[in-house]
Amino acid sequence: MPYTADTRRQPPSRDELRNRIPGWGADLDPADRPSVPRERHEPTGARWDFPERQPEDSPRERSREHAFLTPVFGTTAPLHGLSGAIRRFAYRRYSEGQTPHWLLLLAGDRVDAWESHLRSLATGRPDNPVTQTGILAEPGHRPLSSRFGRNRADLKHAWMDPVIVGGPWAAAAVLAWVGARKLLTSPPAAS
C-alpha cells in the first residue's frame, strides 16, 4: 500500500538524496529561490485533512497501485455483463503500468459495444447502422477534401472503420439469413 501513512519503506534522507542526485535541494534555501518574495504559504481554507469519502454502495474497480478509491468517484456507468467482468479482471490482475491492463480495458469496451447492440435488438427498436454512423451525411460534406492534405491522424485507421462498424451488422445479417433458411428448409417433424 504505497500511498498510506503506514508504508514501511521510508523516503531517503536529504543528505542521501543530495549525495546521490547532483543539484538536488538547490532550492531548499529561500535565499536561492527567485520566487521567494512572491511565494505565499497561506492556508487553503479547507476544514479537513482528508476529504470526506463518498460511500461505496457496490464494489468498484480500483487500481492495484492505490490502497483505496479516490474520495469521489463516478457511478453513472456501473460495470455489467461480460464487459464488466473483463474490466474487473484487468484491474484485479494487472497494474496500470502494464500493457495487458489497457488491452483488456479496450477489449471490454468492444464487448460492451456488442452487448449494447444485442440489447437494442431485444428492445424491438434496433440500432440503425446506416443513419447512426453518419454514412449518409458523408457525401454532402466534402468527403475527400476533408480527409487528404490536412494531416489527419485518423487516416491510418480509416480503412478499418467500415469493417469495425459494419462488420458485426453484416455478420448478424448473415447469421439471421442462415438461421431463417435452415428453419424454412428443415423437414416438418413427424408426429
Side-chain angles (χ1 to χ4, degrees), residues 95-114:
S95 162
E96 287 183 10
Q98 294 179 301
T99 304
H101 173 84
W102 298 104
L103 290 176
L104 283 168
L105 292 180
L106 286 171
D109 286 346
R110 291 290 88 216
V111 169
D112 189 30
W114 277 74

Side-chain angles (χ1 to χ4, degrees), residues 66-106:
H66 304 286
F68 45 81
L69 284 173
T70 56
V72 177
F73 51 87
T75 57
T76 59
L79 300 181
H80 59 277
L82 180 60
S83 62
I86 292 171
R87 291 178 180 136
R88 280 188 199 94
F89 177 74
Y91 277 100
R92 188 175 57 248
R93 176 71 173 86
Y94 296 104
S95 162
E96 287 183 10
Q98 294 179 301
T99 304
H101 173 84
W102 298 104
L103 290 176
L104 283 168
L105 292 180
L106 286 171

Side-chain angles (χ1 to χ4, degrees), residues 113 116-117 120 125-137 165 169:
S116 67
H117 292 318
S120 77
R125 293 189 50 145
D127 296 338
N128 185 342
V130 175
T131 58
Q132 292 177 349
T133 57
I135 197 91
L136 296 179
V165 173
W169 292 103

